[in-house]
Amino acid sequence: MTFSERIAQRINDSIATKQELLTSEAAAALPAVVEAVVTCLRGGGTVFFCGNGGSSTDAEHLSAELLGRFYYDRTALPSVNLSSNVAAVTAIGNDYGYDLIFARPLRGLGKKGDVLIGLSTSGNSANVIRAVEVAQELGMTAVGMTGSRGGKLAEIADHALKMPSDDTPRIQECHMLLGHTLCELVEEELCPPG
């Protein structure tokens, strides 16, 4: 297969996955997540994100969309990516264990009414699961964004957004599509243009 054929195949795979996303459980569950985030932010809360590797950078991207802007200038919306503080991540990982790198700072920063959005393509990232457990202890709403199998994250989260794929790149593409849609709808609801 030529490079051009392989490129076309990947694009077609992505399109097919997004077609499945239209009628997926994840798309059906997204309105409730939008409502939870809007309620959180209207109540003076913060939206937290976390993930590992590519999911970490996706979490950072989505957090930045709330802090900065999505489509237009508006007030900053409170958001924290728990993966971003390298000093905290490495110190906590070294001193307490890697499974606590998100849970420990969340225990210090989170409060009742906040929202945690944890990204894990497998749904079994121990540190994301621990963060969800702490979020629930604190009275926060926990959202899990996963692949089709969901893993433990989908079982314990208040809202599970399971993408219709087991292929990591396709899962992450869907995470960003639904994540961008979430940010757009939250922005429109809280800060209407005009």
Side-chain angles (χ1 to χ4, degrees), residues 85-95 101:
N85 187 334
V86 176
V89 166
T90 56
I92 293 166
N94 184 64
D95 296 345
I101 62 170

Short mmCIF file of all heavy atoms in Angstrom, two decimals, residues 85-95 101:
data_model
loop_
_atom_site.label_atom_id
_atom_site.label_comp_id
_atom_site.label_asym_id
_atom_site.label_seq_id
_atom_site.Cartn_x
_atom_site.Cartn_y
_atom_site.Cartn_z
N ASN A 85 1.12 20.94 36.15
CA ASN A 85 2.11 21.38 37.13
C ASN A 85 3.19 20.30 37.26
O ASN A 85 3.07 19.36 38.05
CB ASN A 85 1.43 21.65 38.47
CG ASN A 85 2.37 22.27 39.49
OD1 ASN A 85 3.58 22.09 39.43
ND2 ASN A 85 1.80 23.00 40.43
N VAL A 86 4.26 20.45 36.48
CA VAL A 86 5.31 19.42 36.42
C VAL A 86 5.95 19.21 37.79
O VAL A 86 6.22 18.07 38.18
CB VAL A 86 6.37 19.79 35.36
CG1 VAL A 86 7.51 18.79 35.37
CG2 VAL A 86 5.72 19.85 33.98
N ALA A 87 6.19 20.27 38.52
CA ALA A 87 6.81 20.13 39.84
C ALA A 87 5.92 19.31 40.77
O ALA A 87 6.40 18.41 41.47
CB ALA A 87 7.09 21.50 40.44
N ALA A 88 4.62 19.61 40.78
CA ALA A 88 3.70 18.85 41.64
C ALA A 88 3.58 17.41 41.18
O ALA A 88 3.64 16.48 42.00
CB ALA A 88 2.32 19.52 41.65
N VAL A 89 3.45 17.19 39.87
CA VAL A 89 3.31 15.83 39.34
C VAL A 89 4.53 14.99 39.71
O VAL A 89 4.40 13.86 40.19
CB VAL A 89 3.08 15.84 37.81
CG1 VAL A 89 3.27 14.46 37.20
CG2 VAL A 89 1.69 16.38 37.49
N THR A 90 5.73 15.53 39.51
CA THR A 90 6.93 14.74 39.77
C THR A 90 7.18 14.58 41.26
O THR A 90 7.62 13.51 41.71
CB THR A 90 8.16 15.34 39.06
OG1 THR A 90 8.33 16.71 39.45
CG2 THR A 90 8.00 15.27 37.55
N ALA A 91 6.91 15.61 42.06
CA ALA A 91 7.11 15.49 43.51
C ALA A 91 6.13 14.49 44.12
O ALA A 91 6.51 13.62 44.91
CB ALA A 91 6.95 16.86 44.18
N ILE A 92 4.87 14.60 43.75
CA ILE A 92 3.86 13.68 44.28
C ILE A 92 4.13 12.27 43.79
O ILE A 92 4.05 11.30 44.56
CB ILE A 92 2.44 14.15 43.91
CG1 ILE A 92 2.13 15.47 44.64
CG2 ILE A 92 1.39 13.09 44.24
CD1 ILE A 92 0.93 16.22 44.11
N GLY A 93 4.48 12.13 42.52
CA GLY A 93 4.81 10.81 41.98
C GLY A 93 5.97 10.18 42.72
O GLY A 93 5.95 8.98 43.04
N ASN A 94 6.98 10.98 43.02
CA ASN A 94 8.17 10.49 43.71
C ASN A 94 7.89 10.18 45.18
O ASN A 94 8.31 9.15 45.70
CB ASN A 94 9.29 11.52 43.60
CG ASN A 94 10.59 11.05 44.21
OD1 ASN A 94 11.17 10.08 43.73
ND2 ASN A 94 11.04 11.71 45.27
N ASP A 95 7.17 11.08 45.85
CA ASP A 95 6.99 10.97 47.30
C ASP A 95 5.81 10.08 47.71
O ASP A 95 5.83 9.47 48.77
CB ASP A 95 6.79 12.36 47.92
CG ASP A 95 8.02 13.25 47.77
OD1 ASP A 95 9.11 12.71 47.45
OD2 ASP A 95 7.88 14.47 47.95
N ILE A 101 -0.93 11.39 41.57
CA ILE A 101 -0.50 12.68 41.01
C ILE A 101 -1.66 13.62 40.70
O ILE A 101 -1.46 14.84 40.67
CB ILE A 101 0.39 12.51 39.77
CG1 ILE A 101 -0.35 11.82 38.63
CG2 ILE A 101 1.69 11.79 40.13
CD1 ILE A 101 0.40 11.85 37.30
#
